[in-house]
Amino acid sequence: MKTKPLFIVLSAPSGCGKSTLIDMLLQEYSDIVYSISCTTREPRGEEEDGLDYHFLTKERFEELLKENAFIEHALVHGNYYGTLKSPISEVLAEGNSMILDIDVQGAAKVRDYVRSLPNTDAMKIGYVDIFINPPSLEELRDRLVGRGTDSPQTIEKRLMNAEGEMARAGEYMYRVTNDDLSMCYKRLCDLIDALSGRM
């Protein structure tokens, strides 16, 4: 069955279950490929090059910047992060879909980039952006506290960020609320199936 290759941009505040949802999609859909970002920061813990990130030197990253190789990039805490164009184009050309996990600022840059493309470009044809909302900020606070991985200060900072991100949810084509993981996942799958023509 021939489906339309999608370029899916997914954003959510920290603690909304975005990574879990992406893992579930990747397990179920053999034709969805995860976009691996580039960074100049050092690998942390168990992180592997080419799996978690493409770890690049600052010099190499700046060479790629000069070549306009990125659809978006940012300098965060002294390290570069960016999304390369070529892997996305290659995946879409093969008839597969690409999913990009990115924050609202990055998504805005990707959106602007895609708008600038010709209407015949596969990235523009298959583009879809989805924002995952928490049921409420109170619920998000409970989840972040429940994870037990962050200090109270970090949690407050994440909640402040979440508020700012949720205020920009209207910039996205679709919004899905994660009030229940399995229901949220089903909504996400229904959306992807409808957009790619699987229905």
Side-chain angles (χ1 to χ4, degrees), residues 168-184:
R168 295 183 64 176
E171 296 172 17
Y172 290 73
M173 295 153 95
Y174 300 96
R175 289 174 292 290
V176 180
T177 300
N178 187 4
D179 41 6
D180 171 272
L181 187 66
S182 56
M183 283 304 297
C184 178

Side-chain angles (χ1 to χ4, degrees), residues 14-174:
S14 180
C16 267
K18 178 180 52 163
S19 303
T20 307
L21 289 163
I22 289 174
D23 287 343
M24 289 164 79
L25 286 172
L26 295 173
Q27 278 167 22
E28 185 162 339
Y29 292 85
S30 59
D31 60 340
I32 294 182
V33 180
Y34 182 69
S35 169
I36 300 168
S37 301
C38 297
T39 183
T40 57
R41 76 162 171 75
E42 290 298 314
R44 290 182 196 139
E46 301 284 299
E47 286 180 340
E48 287 179 49
D49 184 47
L51 193 63
D52 299 284
Y53 280 99
H54 296 297
F55 293 101
L56 306 177
T57 62
K58 191 162 179 265
E59 293 70 30
R60 180 67 189 127
F61 199 102
E62 287 174 345
E63 275 170 24
L64 288 165
L65 276 179
K66 287 196 189 93
E67 293 163 19
N68 278 327
F70 295 101
I71 61 169
E72 63 79 38
H73 71 277
L75 189 59
V76 185
H77 307 306
N79 289 306
Y80 283 118
Y81 291 83
T83 306
L84 288 168
K85 289 177 203 173
S86 54
I88 301 169
S89 300
E90 284 159 22
V91 164
L92 297 178
E94 285 160 5
N96 293 319
S97 294
M98 183 70 116
I99 192 161
L100 179 59
D101 167 359
I102 197 165
D103 66 4
V104 287
Q105 284 93 341
K109 289 182 187 173
V110 173
R111 207 175 286 123
D112 288 343
Y113 173 77
V114 170
R115 279 197 193 114
S116 73
L117 295 170
N119 291 336
T120 50
D121 193 290
M123 251 190 251
K124 191 167 193 170
I125 295 167
Y127 183 78
V128 53
D129 51 27
I130 306 165
F131 189 86
I132 308 289
N133 261 315
S136 66
L137 276 171
E138 289 69 44
E139 173 80 17
L140 187 60
R141 172 178 276 120
D142 292 346
R143 285 184 199 176
L144 289 170
V145 170
R147 282 205 305 204
T149 52
D150 299 317
S151 67
Q153 294 88 336
T154 304
I155 288 171
E156 289 313 309
K157 191 169 168 233
R158 285 185 192 273
L159 287 167
M160 270 181 62
N161 288 344
E163 214 169 341
E165 288 173 332
M166 287 159 71
R168 295 183 64 176
E171 296 172 17
Y172 290 73
M173 295 153 95
Y174 300 96

